[in-house]
């Protein structure tokens, strides 16, 4: 702790004054200084733990909440207009901007493919048509799910900017695709993956096989 404070004194006059006075340092002030120094890339917090043994997981999540930037701390996300490639578009983390999100993961569920979407701007109600500008396809965002541990996820009827949700109904979307407002489209930068040495995909051919695949995945999670 003393080594951490020594480094933080250089980033905060208020913290330095308390140190010179040998006065107690309030926890709220210390957290505020760590957050500001982290946001300005002056320090990089390091936490120890083991995800395999569930040691230190909660402190890591608490640190993400306390010290890392929220969407409101970051500049608007940029993209291109799919109909006018030279036109740059921006979306801020506000409800006033049109809906825009990025699919960053796909999972097989018994009810259909579950697309994990990070919502950058706007809001969207369930069973609403959205646009995939990369594939020029309109899709139906039928259901929204808040992602929690196995068996504890619950369905919601609306998502807003800043949410990370599971969406059922995006039949044409894959990892890296944009999902946006049909009237005001914007194509986000896709996710670049390094080339693999060897890859394999498993896809169910029937609803029965889909259920079996989902059961096997849930069993592996529990183990």
């Amino acid at each position: 702790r003393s080594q951490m404070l020594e480094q933080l004194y250089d980033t905060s006059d208020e913290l330095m004054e308390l140190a010179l006075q040998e006065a107690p340092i309030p926890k709220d002030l210390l957290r505020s200084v760590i957050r500001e120094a982290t946001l300005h890339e002056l320090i990089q917090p390091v936490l120890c733990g083991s995800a395999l043994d569930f040691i230190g997981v909660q402190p890591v999540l608490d640190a993400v909440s306390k010290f890392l930037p929220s969407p409101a701390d970051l500049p608007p996300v940029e993209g291109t207009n799919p109909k006018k490639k030279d036109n740059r578009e921006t979306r801020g983390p506000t409800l006033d901007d049109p809906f825009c999100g990025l699919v960053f993961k796909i999972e097989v569920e018994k009810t259909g493919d579950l697309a994990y979407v990070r919502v950058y701007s706007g809001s969207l109600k369930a069973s609403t048509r959205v646009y995939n500008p990369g594939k020029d396809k309109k899709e139906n965002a039928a259901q929204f799910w808040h992602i929690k541990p196995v068996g504890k996820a619950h369905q919601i009827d609306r998502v807003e900017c800043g949410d990370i949700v599971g969406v059922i109904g995006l039949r044409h979307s894959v990892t890296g695709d944009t999902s946006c407002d049909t009237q005001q489209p914007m194509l986000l930068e896709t996710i670049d993956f390094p080339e693999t040495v060897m890859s394999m995909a498993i896809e169910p051919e029937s609803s029965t096989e889909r259920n079996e695949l989902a059961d096997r995945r849930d069993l592996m999670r529990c183990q």
Side-chain angles (χ1 to χ4, degrees):
R1 186 173 188 274
S2 61
Q3 291 178 344
M4 176 187 68
L5 290 174
E6 285 290 340
Q7 190 165 357
L8 291 175
Y9 292 151
D10 295 333
T11 67
S12 169
D13 293 338
E14 186 176 359
L15 207 62
M16 177 66 79
E17 290 178 5
L18 291 176
L20 294 175
Q21 297 170 9
E22 297 185 351
I25 298 176
K27 289 183 179 180
D28 289 343
L29 173 62
L30 185 57
R31 288 171 179 164
S32 175
V33 172
I34 293 175
R35 174 177 170 78
E36 287 300 316
T38 303
L39 294 182
H40 289 87
E41 300 182 359
L42 300 175
I43 64 169
Q44 181 174 336
V46 176
L47 294 93
C48 298
S50 170
L52 180 63
D53 299 315
F54 300 103
I55 298 173
V57 175
Q58 190 59 51
V60 169
L61 297 177
D62 291 341
V64 169
S65 174
K66 291 183 175 70
F67 306 138
L68 295 187
S70 74
D73 297 317
L74 300 174
V77 65
E78 293 188 355
T80 57
N81 188 320
K83 298 179 181 178
K84 301 176 182 178
K85 300 294 185 181
D86 295 333
N87 287 15
R88 299 293 295 176
E89 301 277 349
T90 60
R91 297 287 187 271
T94 70
L95 296 176
D96 296 330
D97 278 6
F99 169 77
C100 187
L102 183 71
V103 178
F104 65 89
K105 183 179 180 180
I106 302 289
E107 273 195 358
V108 175
E109 294 287 345
K110 295 179 181 179
T111 52
D113 287 346
L114 184 68
Y116 287 72
V117 177
R118 190 266 177 90
V119 183
Y120 283 95
S121 63
S123 63
L124 192 69
K125 294 181 179 180
S127 298
T128 300
R129 299 283 285 177
V130 294
Y131 181 54
N132 182 334
K135 293 185 170 62
D136 193 23
K137 297 281 188 180
K138 290 185 179 180
E139 304 188 273
N140 182 38
Q143 298 179 15
F144 298 138
W145 290 81
H146 262 163
I147 307 305
K148 292 188 176 183
V150 177
K152 296 184 179 180
H154 66 275
Q155 191 173 351
I156 56 177
D157 57 7
R158 174 186 170 92
V159 296
E160 297 181 350
C161 52
D163 285 341
I164 294 178
V165 296
V167 182
I168 292 178
L170 305 182
R171 301 181 60 183
H172 302 287
S173 295
V174 297
T175 300
D177 281 356
T178 301
S179 182
C180 62
D181 186 281
T182 57
Q183 300 300 319
Q184 295 176 279
M186 183 181 81
L187 180 62
L188 296 170
E189 183 179 354
T190 188
I191 301 174
D192 290 327
F193 296 98
E195 185 176 352
T196 58
V197 177
M198 182 177 66
S199 64
M200 180 182 297
I202 301 175
E203 184 175 350
E205 295 183 350
S206 65
S207 58
T208 301
E209 290 185 351
R210 176 184 294 276
N211 293 339
E212 291 178 355
L213 185 61
D215 289 339
R216 298 294 185 276
R217 186 209 58 212
D218 292 343
L219 180 62
M220 293 177 64
R221 281 178 174 175
C222 294
Q223 292 175 342

